[in-house]
Amino acid sequence: MQIVETLNEGLKRAYTITIPAKDLEARVDAEVKKIAPQVRMPGFRPGKVPANLIRKMHGESLHADALNSSIQESVDKAIRENGLRPAIQPAVNLNDDYAAGQDAEVKIALEVLPQVPTPLIDNITLERLMVEPGEAAVTEALQRIADGQKSYTTATKTYKAQDGDQVLIDFEGKVDGVPFDGGKGEGMAVVIGSGQLIPGFEDQLIGLKANDEALINVTFPEDYGSKDLAGKAATFDIVVGEVKKPGETKIDDDFAKALGLESLEQLTGLVKGQLEQELGGLSRTHMKRRLLDQLAASHDFEVPPSMVEAEFNQIWAQLEQEAAQEEDADAARAEMEKDRDEYHAIAVRRVRLGLLLSEIGQANGVEVTAQEMNMLIAQAAQQYRQEDRQRFAEYIRNDAMAAAQLRAPMYEDKVVDFLFDKATITERSVTREELEAAIEAEDDGGPSGDHVHGPDCDHDHDHDHAAAEKPKAKKAAPKKTAVKKDAKAAPADAAPAESVTTEEANPVAKKAPAKKAAPKAATADAEAKPAAKKAPAKKAVAKKA
């Protein structure tokens, strides 16, 4: 076997490998001897089939196996002997005119990870913004819980429905006077003003009484889940069964006991604890962004173009999805195009920060333990059907890239915690509004990172992950929003498909997402009934690593 380097430019490497025909033949001969005792052929005793006949029967497949294993070994040898750390899977190509009996010429091309300079982490200074949940915030949270437990009592037959009332209706939807599939239902409970139905539907229930009949005129949103209904005008013939008025929920010990707790004091304590956790998360987000900014400002090194391109493509695809939800999708895409260079710079930052955090973790013994990895697998498996969870777990354990993608967020959090421990941190008390304003200012103003789900340092598996911001697609003028940034890992495309879709159609209760089948996700069929409003697309989804 001969390995010749043909390219060594920046982070790009290329090699030509020649595998002699005699080496391939030797592999085939060895395999023939190995399988001969198991070969059965009429006219021969078991294990006595001549080698030439075995070659005649299985020669083509044996040669293909020998060639594939030789190529894999040669690529591994080239990487090992040259001390390479591939950034992506190498491209491997066998010469087009190869035929059995000839030497095999294999060309491999790859990008390698850069030599990351020694991270500068000894003089990091950060500020932790502290917010204590006040009595008003706790009271407001308790009231939200009470509102969610609201009960309704049936009103008199002459009572006219008002905003906040619950109305039970039978309905039949039509487009151009023709009923459509799934547009009919009975006894659906609608709370006026809840926004659970498509725009304009609930408002037309105001003033109706029990046993009233009415014609509701609406237009389905352009981005409605059912393409057959999207953007179309429709009518709904409805009959009101009952009108119910909301009762007042008193927040006391009995209310807490109804929730399975012992007292209002216990409920209040739990609510306060949840608020403290939420505020602590916001404070950590702010401090993490400042940390990433400092790391980005003090480190600059070349990053693999292929990793940047993969990261940019992921960002761009998610921005495209967001733009499609805008009223003027073409204008939104035009705004995106103006900022293409900015999004590319964000991708570069993500990859560089990911490699940097990975280097910091490796140099300081940060790791995700086997026990923690098992916990992550068990948690991720919950999104799949019961019968598929074991198969999903085996998939993760047998696929290094998928395992690294799952491990990355926890690993990154550990690296960040390590850096927090080393940093000099001062604390300053602020209000929640001030903390949120500080985070929002970062969203609007600069390349700050938010929730970095990041770099798994598994160099042995050739895929360090990146960290950085999450850009938000800009809307068409005049509703222009600034680029919003946070961070996530940018793992290789190795994980199973995970998108479960449910078209939230019509007034009835929205359908729960189907449990996924491993390793691919199951797609829930869209509900047939059309009156419920489609959940709005989340903004700023292009997270970074």
Side-chain angles (χ1 to χ4, degrees):
M1 180 189 304
Q2 183 182 24
I3 302 174
V4 178
E5 185 178 72
T6 58
L7 177 66
N8 187 332
E9 184 178 300
L11 299 177
K12 295 183 178 180
R13 303 288 186 275
Y15 299 87
T16 297
I17 301 173
T18 302
I19 305 172
K22 61 182 180 62
D23 291 354
L24 295 172
E25 284 302 307
R27 282 180 177 265
V28 174
D29 288 341
E31 191 63 22
V32 168
K33 291 180 181 179
K34 180 179 178 181
I35 68 173
Q38 287 82 42
V39 175
R40 299 290 185 269
M41 184 179 292
F44 296 93
R45 286 180 297 164
K48 299 299 182 180
V49 180
N52 65 318
L53 290 180
I54 295 176
R55 276 181 169 272
K56 186 175 182 180
M57 291 173 59
H58 304 289
E60 186 174 342
S61 63
L62 290 174
H63 182 80
D65 291 342
L67 180 61
N68 286 334
S69 59
S70 295
I71 290 174
Q72 184 60 55
E73 289 177 12
S74 66
V75 172
D76 291 344
K77 182 179 180 182
I79 291 173
R80 184 176 61 255
E81 291 185 350
N82 288 280
L84 305 178
R85 299 189 305 164
I88 59 172
Q89 189 71 22
V92 181
N93 293 290
L94 176 66
N95 54 307
D96 294 335
D97 57 354
Y98 173 77
Q102 299 178 353
D103 292 349
E105 184 178 275
V106 179
K107 296 184 182 298
I108 65 173
L110 69 157
E111 288 180 355
V112 297
L113 294 171
Q115 291 297 322
V116 178
T118 302
L120 307 174
I121 59 175
D122 291 330
N123 297 303
I124 297 174
T125 59
L126 299 169
E127 181 181 52
R128 180 183 285 117
L129 302 184
M130 305 291 292
V131 181
E132 288 294 329
E135 183 177 342
V138 174
T139 300
E140 182 181 349
L142 287 171
Q143 188 59 54
R144 286 197 299 270
I145 296 174
D147 290 343
Q149 301 293 318
K150 189 173 294 184
S151 59
Y152 294 87
T153 57
T154 302
T156 63
K157 299 293 185 181
T158 59
Y159 176 80
K160 294 182 179 181
Q162 302 177 22
D163 188 41
D165 290 344
Q166 184 185 76
V167 182
L168 272 59
I169 61 171
D170 299 338
F171 61 91
E172 182 175 25
K174 300 175 183 178
V175 172
D176 295 330
V178 179
F180 53 83
D181 291 340
K184 187 174 183 178
E186 297 179 353
M188 183 186 72
V190 181
V191 176
I192 300 175
S194 65
Q196 74 184 89
L197 306 185
I198 57 178
F201 194 105
E202 295 170 18
D203 292 343
Q204 297 178 62
L205 298 177
I206 293 176
L208 298 180
K209 307 184 302 296
N211 301 320
D212 277 355
E213 298 182 6
L215 181 68
I216 303 292
N217 291 280
V218 293
T219 299
F220 284 98
E222 293 291 343
D223 61 349
Y224 189 69
S226 171
K227 293 182 179 179
D228 292 337
L229 298 174
K232 292 185 177 180
T235 61
F236 282 85
D237 296 313
I238 70 163
V239 177
V240 178
E242 289 182 297
V243 176
K244 296 185 175 183
K245 295 191 290 186
E248 183 177 350
T249 302
K250 189 175 181 181
I251 301 175
D252 53 15
D253 284 341
D254 290 337
F255 174 68
K257 291 176 181 178
L259 296 175
L261 302 175
E262 294 180 357
S263 64
L264 177 59
E265 181 180 1
Q266 184 185 13
L267 174 60
T268 301
L270 289 173
V271 168
K272 185 175 182 179
Q274 290 176 345
L275 286 174
E276 289 173 343
Q277 185 176 15
E278 179 186 354
L279 293 168
L282 289 173
S283 179
R284 178 184 170 87
T285 292
H286 176 266
M287 195 163 68
K288 180 187 277 189
R289 290 182 170 190
R290 298 276 62 81
L291 169 66
L292 293 179
D293 284 346
Q294 290 188 38
L295 292 175
S298 57
H299 298 84
D300 186 16
F301 52 87
E302 186 179 10
V303 294
S306 58
M307 292 180 70
V308 173
E309 188 64 21
E311 192 62 37
F312 174 79
N313 289 340
Q314 181 182 22
I315 291 172
W316 200 255
Q318 293 183 336
L319 292 172
E320 285 276 10
Q321 292 178 0
E322 180 182 333
Q325 303 298 320
E326 299 294 339
E327 293 181 7
D328 189 338
D330 290 338
R333 292 189 185 97
E335 286 291 323
M336 285 168 48
E337 287 292 343
K338 292 178 183 178
D339 298 311
R340 178 180 284 270
D341 290 345
E342 181 179 355
Y343 293 131
H344 190 272
I346 287 173
V348 171
R349 172 184 158 113
R350 286 179 60 172
V351 172
R352 183 175 291 122
L353 279 172
L355 295 173
L356 182 62
L357 288 177
S358 180
E359 190 71 19
I360 293 170
Q362 277 196 343
N364 294 280
V366 177
E367 63 178 14
V368 174
T369 66
Q371 182 178 0
E372 289 169 333
M373 190 62 190
N374 288 334
M375 178 192 71
L376 292 174
I377 293 173
Q379 289 174 346
Q382 295 303 309
Q383 63 190 313
Y384 295 98
R385 296 192 298 258
Q386 180 67 40
E387 62 270 24
D388 289 323
R389 290 175 185 173
Q390 183 58 39
R391 186 152 60 95
F392 169 77
E394 292 172 358
Y395 165 76
I396 293 295
R397 292 190 175 98
N398 293 329
D399 190 301
M401 297 180 78
Q405 186 178 27
L406 182 63
R407 181 172 52 240
M410 177 178 284
Y411 179 82
E412 178 207 296
D413 278 344
K414 286 191 162 193
V415 175
V416 169
D417 286 337
F418 167 79
L419 292 173
F420 283 168
D421 289 340
K422 286 187 66 66
T424 300
I425 300 177
T426 59
E427 295 183 350
R428 178 163 60 95
S429 294
V430 297
T431 65
R432 178 177 186 134
E433 291 72 23
E434 289 172 330
L435 174 57
E436 291 176 340
I439 295 174
E440 185 65 27
E442 293 164 355
D443 288 342
D444 292 341
S448 302
D450 170 21
H451 194 56
V452 181
H453 286 172
D456 186 292
C457 73
D458 203 343
H459 287 308
D460 292 339
H461 294 133
D462 307 332
H463 47 268
D464 285 85
H465 303 308
E469 314 85 359
K470 169 171 69 178
K472 181 174 180 178
K474 296 185 179 181
K475 297 181 181 180
K479 296 181 180 179
K480 193 172 183 180
T481 45
V483 176
K484 188 172 184 178
K485 296 159 176 151
D486 81 358
K488 83 166 188 65
D493 300 329
E498 294 186 356
S499 57
V500 174
T501 60
T502 51
E503 296 301 347
E504 297 174 325
N506 186 354
V508 194
K510 294 175 181 177
K511 195 172 188 178
K515 287 287 184 180
K516 301 175 191 175
K520 291 185 178 180
T523 301
D525 292 333
E527 290 194 46
K529 299 176 184 138
K533 180 172 62 178
K534 182 178 178 183
K538 290 184 179 179
K539 301 296 184 183
V541 290
K543 295 183 179 177
K544 314 189 211 141

